[in-house]
Structure formats: structure tokens, C-alpha cells
């Protein structure tokens, strides 16, 4: 199969698996321990059903979505994914470019190999920066300054990596940084000549973003060791207050899973939160992000912007999350599979697949614009029966009005 022939994100996943050696593919694909959390994320979407409304004029469908005062062409963006250059040379910048071309946001990872400045140059209006707080808080303060100087609009602080997690695929594969292929792994890697050629041509990816803080003239390996001493580390609400003080623009906290934490973030003056379990990579016992989303939305109301990632593989998943209260959705693996499989074209293909799926589902459910999306389209899992509404003709107000399908008192 060629990239152009990929029909869905799973096809891109298969193409990525074919191109990458196991040690690299498993790093993308894998989660923590038994990977129950990954399964919970994916299953949470399949548990929700969208109830179609027909005979609505859907001849023109508009999936553009406003976020923090900026209009994006679709209601999803690219979540931060570290070490992307292991899968494809310059993957961070490929993703940034693809996001800018598609007019969606791109979050540059705090564990990226390219620098903040390089991403800001290729996608000035679409790049956000994700901060991993460093043990040496002077480094974090300087990264915030650099993001400000690069004119980025939004800083994303990831809080769900207080400790490294036990990702068993990585342990078994002997994954360490910089990537060292042991004999047995090298033989397997030789079966993926395109990846090997790319890797050898570029050399070991270097954490350019962190290079200014390591010893002068440090090698890629020494910088990687330096980064490993700085992150992960513990982050507290007091640190958040300090970051809020240092960063005057939009501040988003990524990894919030409890309504009380969302309320505290709002109290500190954060602009947005991303409900996320890091794509099932940190706590295997964590609930699916989608499961905790409604309670979090109910707790914070309009005090801040609630977004979500973790487990999104379909355009319909994105619409389901919007129905449950998310204002915007992010994808991690979907665009990474595309990039690993086919570089810029692959990233574009992933975005295009999700976009077309959103468009078709909007047409199918009778929702011509995202202003109309809401809980009214959801069949709650425990609904005793569909309740008829009084309106004879659905209009946009009716679309907005919750059907309250789960209202147990309904007859
Ligand atoms: C991630 N994720 C992540 N998150 C973050 O805040 N900083 C990071 O550097 C990374 N790195 C990273 C690498 C890889 C290979 C993956 C797959 C994920 C988590 C990411 O931002 C996002 O939360 C999840 O990927 C969302 O889940 P899905 O869409 O992959 O199911």
C-alpha cells in the first residue's frame, strides 16, 4: 500500500510499522504496563453513539472552529510528541509545516529535537510550545522567555509526567537515548532499509532545544544524558503560579484528569486545560480521558477552555468529544503514524483523513456547522428509550438543545 492509498488512520499505522524498526514503532505505539489505558481510551469512543437528524440542509458544511480568538480550519490539532526525529528526519518541523498548511494548531514537544525557534520560523501562527518543567527552574524560565521572544501565542505545561513510566515495550527493546541498536535489534532494523538510511544520513538526533543548557560543545549523547537528568521532575501548583507570572499569553495545562484540579487551574488563571492521560503512556489504571471529560466540563463551566486528547483515531471520535463538552481535540499518534510512514505527505494524509471523516459525519448527523454540535446528538449508553421532542422541524436551536436521552424520568 502507498500513502495515497491509505483509507484510514489504521492504514497509516500499518505503513509506519512497515517502515520503522520495532524499537522505534513500539515507542510510538506502546503504553504503560499492560496497556489497559490505551484500550480504555479507544473503547471509550466506541461506547458513544451519535443519533442522526435528517432533513436538515447540510449542502454546505463548515468544520472551522475558533480557539483562543483564532480561527482554525478544523476542530483538531497536533498534540506534542517527543523524539519524533527518531521516526523521520525533521519530523517536528514536518508536523509544524503540515499543521500550518492545514490551518490547525501544532504543539511542539518539550522533548522535541528541533528548537522552539525553528518551529516558530516554519509555522509562526500555528506553533504552540509544550513545556516540561526542568529540575533547574532557570532552564524552564529561559524556555518560556524563548517561546515569548519567538512570538508564540500559547504555552502548554504538561503535568502528567511526575515520574517516568514503566513502558514495557521500551524496556524489552532496550530503548535508551540516544538510540543504541544492540546486535539483535540491529538485525531487525536492517529489515527496514529506508529508516536505516534516513537515520544514518542524519546521524543521531540531537535535542537542539536543550543544547544551550548543556555543557558547551556537548555531543548528542551528552545532551541526551543532560535532558534525562532534568526531566521528569515534580511540578506543583506553586510552580504553576510562577509559570503563570512568567508567561503573559495563553497558558494551557495538559494532563488534567480530575475536576478539582481543573477548578484549581482556573483559580490560578490558566486559559485552558487539556484533558488527557498522555495517550495511555503514564498510568495504566487511569480512566479514559473521554470518561472524565463531562465531569470536568461541569466543574469549570466557562471559566476556561476545555480540550481533550487520548485515543482519537476517527473524525467521528473528534465530534463525540465535542458533543461531550470539549472545545477542541488533539491527536498524537494519528499524525505521527502519517509522518513516520510518509513524511510531509503522510502528515497531510492523516489530517486529510480526519478532516474528511468529520465532514461526512457532520453531514450524516445533520450538523452543518460546529456551532450546532452538542449533547443533543449523543445517545447516552444507559438511555431507556429515545424521547420525542416537541419541535416538528429541527432548527439550529433544536440542535443545540440537549435531547436528554438519558433522562431516566422521561416516559
Ligand atoms: C507523546 N505525548 C507527549 N505529550 C507531551 O506532553 N509531551 C511529549 O513530549 C509527548 N511525547 C509523546 C511521544 C509519543 C511517541 C506519543 C505517542 C505521545 C502524548 C501526546 O501529546 C498525547 O497526549 C497522546 O499521544 C494522545 O493520545 P493518542 O492521540 O496518541 O491516542
Amino acid at each position: 500500500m502507498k500513502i495515497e492509498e491509505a483509507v484510514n488512520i489504521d492504514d497509516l499505522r500499518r505503513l509506519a510499522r512497515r517502515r520503522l524498526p520495532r524499537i522505534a514503532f513500539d515507542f510510538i505505539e506502546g503504553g504503560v504496563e499492560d496497556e489497559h489505558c490505551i484500550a480504555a481510551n479507544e473503547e471509550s469512543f466506541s461506547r458513544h453513539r451519535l443519533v442522526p437528524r435528517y432533513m436538515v440542509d447540510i449542502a454546505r458544511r463548515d468544520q472551522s472552529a475558533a480557539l483562543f480568538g483564532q480561527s482554525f480550519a478544523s476542530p483538531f490539532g497536533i498534540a506534542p510528541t517527543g523524539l519524533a526525529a527518531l521516526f523521520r528526519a525533521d519530523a517536528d518541523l514536518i508536523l509544524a509545516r503540515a499543521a500550518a498548511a492545514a490551518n490547525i494548531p501544532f504543539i511542539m514537544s518539550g522533548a522535541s529535537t528541533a528548537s522552539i525557534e525553528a518551529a516558530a520560523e516554519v509555522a509562526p501562527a500555528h506553533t504552540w510550545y509544550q513545556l516540561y518543567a526542568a529540575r533547574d527552574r532557570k532552564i524552564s524560565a529561559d524556555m518560556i522567555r524563548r517561546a515569548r521572544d519567538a512570538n508564540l501565542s500559547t504555552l502548554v505545561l504538561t503535568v502528567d509526567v511526575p515520574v517516568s513510566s514503566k513502558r514495557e515495550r521500551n524496556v524489552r527493546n532496550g530503548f535508551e537515548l540516544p538510540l543504541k541498536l544492540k546486535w539483535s535489534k540491529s538485525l531487525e532494523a536492517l529489515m527496514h532499509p529506508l529508516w536505516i538510511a534516513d537515520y544514518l544520513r542524519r546521524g543521531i538526533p540531537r535535542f537542539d532545544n536543550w543544547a544551550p543548557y548543556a555543557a558547551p560543545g556537548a555531543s548528542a549523547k551528552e545532551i541526551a544524558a543532560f535532558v534525562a537528568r532534568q526531566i521528569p521532575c515534580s511540578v506543583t501548583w506553586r510552580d504553576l503560579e510562577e509559570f503563570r507570572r512568567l508567561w503573559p499569553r495563553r497558558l494551557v495545562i495538559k494532563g488534567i484528569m480530575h475536576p478539582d484540579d481543573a477548578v484549581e487551574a482556573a483559580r490560578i488563571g490558566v486559559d485552558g486545560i487539556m484533558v488527557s492521560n498522555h495517550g495511555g503512556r503514564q498510568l495504566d489504571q487511569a480512566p479514559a480521558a473521554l470518561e472524565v471529560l463531562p465531569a470536568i466540563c461541569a466543574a469549570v463551566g466557562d471559566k476556561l477552555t476545555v480540550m481533550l486528547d487520548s485515543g482519537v483515531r476517527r473524525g467521528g471520535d473528534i465530534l463525540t468529544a465535542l458533543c461531550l463538552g470539549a472545545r477542541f481535540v488533539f491527536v498524537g499518534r494519528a499524525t505521527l503514524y502519517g509522518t513516520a510512514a510518509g513524511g510531509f505527505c503522510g502528515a497531510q494524509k492523516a489530517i486529510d483523513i480526519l478532516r474528511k471523516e468529520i465532514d461526512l459525519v457532520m453531514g450524516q448527523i445533520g450538523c452543518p456547522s460546529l456551532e450546532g454540535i452538542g449533547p443533543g446528538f449523543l445517545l447516552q449508553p444507559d438511555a431507556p428509550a429515545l424521547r420525542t421532542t416537541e419541535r416538528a422541524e429541527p432548527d439550529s436551536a433544536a440542535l443545540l438543545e440537549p435531547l436528554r436521552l438519558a433522562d431516566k424520568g422521561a416516559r
Side-chain angles (χ1 to χ4, degrees):
M1 191 200 309
K2 298 193 189 108
I3 286 288
E4 314 82 79
E5 290 162 1
V7 170
N8 58 26
I9 297 299
D10 202 46
D11 284 347
L12 293 177
R13 175 181 165 277
R14 272 192 288 274
L15 287 167
R17 185 165 62 185
R18 202 193 295 162
R19 183 177 170 275
L20 297 177
R22 171 180 272 253
I23 192 169
F25 179 75
D26 275 356
F27 182 76
I28 303 181
E29 182 81 345
V32 60
E33 296 178 357
D34 294 310
E35 303 186 349
H36 289 318
C37 187
I38 292 185
N41 282 337
E42 295 186 14
E43 201 222 339
S44 67
F45 285 101
S46 61
R47 270 208 308 272
H48 285 89
R49 308 278 90 203
L50 298 177
V51 184
R53 301 297 303 269
Y54 296 117
M55 285 162 291
V56 176
D57 183 0
I58 46 76
R60 285 160 176 243
R61 298 183 294 281
D62 176 12
Q63 63 176 273
S64 65
L67 181 64
F68 297 140
Q70 189 170 346
S71 175
F72 293 105
S74 289
F76 69 93
I78 300 180
T81 48
L83 302 174
L86 277 184
F87 318 123
R88 168 77 63 178
D90 288 331
D92 299 313
L93 303 183
I94 287 174
L95 285 163
R97 260 189 223 109
N103 186 21
I104 59 171
F106 161 69
I107 310 180
M108 169 85 161
S109 160
S112 62
T113 47
S115 70
I116 299 174
E117 292 78 7
E121 200 175 315
V122 299
H126 295 85
T127 302
W128 300 0
Y129 181 64
Q130 176 255 317
L131 184 76
Y132 273 133
R135 268 196 190 122
D136 178 352
R137 291 293 196 263
K138 287 202 283 301
I139 296 178
S140 309
D142 193 59
M143 284 186 173
I144 293 174
R145 175 199 59 77
R146 286 169 54 201
R148 219 176 42 212
D149 290 353
N151 262 330
L152 300 190
S153 64
T154 309
L155 183 76
V156 179
L157 175 70
T158 292
V159 295
D160 59 6
V161 188
V163 289
S164 303
S165 61
K166 189 170 169 237
R167 299 189 192 153
E168 297 188 359
R169 296 194 203 207
N170 293 353
V171 178
R172 287 187 207 290
N173 289 333
F175 185 96
E176 56 182 290
L177 288 174
L179 206 56
K180 264 193 274 163
L181 293 176
K182 301 200 177 80
W183 259 111
S184 55
K185 313 291 171 203
S186 305
L187 287 179
E188 199 273 335
L190 284 176
M191 319 270 283
H192 306 272
L194 292 176
W195 179 84
I196 287 271
D198 191 33
Y199 192 75
L200 293 179
R201 187 171 50 81
R202 284 293 317 275
I204 297 170
R206 207 178 80 121
F207 286 104
D208 279 354
N209 216 29
W210 290 79
Y213 313 111
S219 64
K221 192 175 163 189
E222 287 159 348
I223 299 172
F226 175 80
V227 175
R229 287 195 298 277
Q230 289 294 328
I231 56 172
C233 70
S234 108
V235 185
T236 66
W237 292 110
R238 187 163 289 182
D239 293 309
L240 176 61
E241 278 166 351
E242 176 62 6
F243 295 143
R244 176 67 289 186
R245 204 180 56 72
L246 292 174
W247 178 258
R249 305 186 194 135
R250 305 288 183 191
L251 179 63
V252 171
I253 307 299
K254 176 172 181 283
I256 294 284
M257 290 291 285
H258 195 291
D260 291 352
D261 286 351
V263 168
E264 184 61 7
R267 191 192 64 75
I268 290 175
V270 160
D271 300 284
I273 53 172
M274 206 180 296
V275 179
S276 166
N277 56 30
H278 215 101
R281 294 163 79 81
Q282 286 304 118
L283 173 68
D284 210 20
Q285 294 74 18
L290 197 72
E291 278 178 297
V292 295
L293 176 69
I296 289 178
C297 291
V300 293
D302 289 337
K303 286 193 199 123
L304 44 68
T305 299
V306 179
M307 296 161 277
L308 172 135
D309 76 19
S310 296
V312 171
R313 301 289 180 271
R314 290 281 184 188
D317 296 343
I318 293 169
L319 292 171
T320 299
L322 299 184
C323 286
L324 284 165
R327 280 282 297 280
F328 214 83
V329 173
F330 285 81
V331 295
R333 291 182 181 85
T335 37
L336 210 46
Y337 291 142
T339 307
F344 182 76
C345 294
Q348 275 193 316
K349 183 75 183 177
I351 295 168
D352 200 45
I353 286 172
L354 293 173
R355 191 169 264 177
K356 287 198 172 119
E357 287 177 353
I358 290 173
D359 182 60
L360 287 178
V361 175
M362 286 175 71
Q364 192 66 40
I365 64 175
C367 178
S369 127
L370 294 183
E371 277 159 32
I373 201 86
F377 286 106
L378 282 175
L379 174 67
Q380 304 293 343
D382 56 351
L386 289 180
R387 200 180 63 162
T388 49
T389 56
E390 271 124 62
R391 288 173 202 277
E393 291 177 25
D395 57 19
S396 59
L399 294 178
L400 276 166
E401 181 184 280
L403 275 173
R404 289 199 214 100
L405 298 177
D407 182 355
K408 294 216 171 83
R411 265 159 288 159

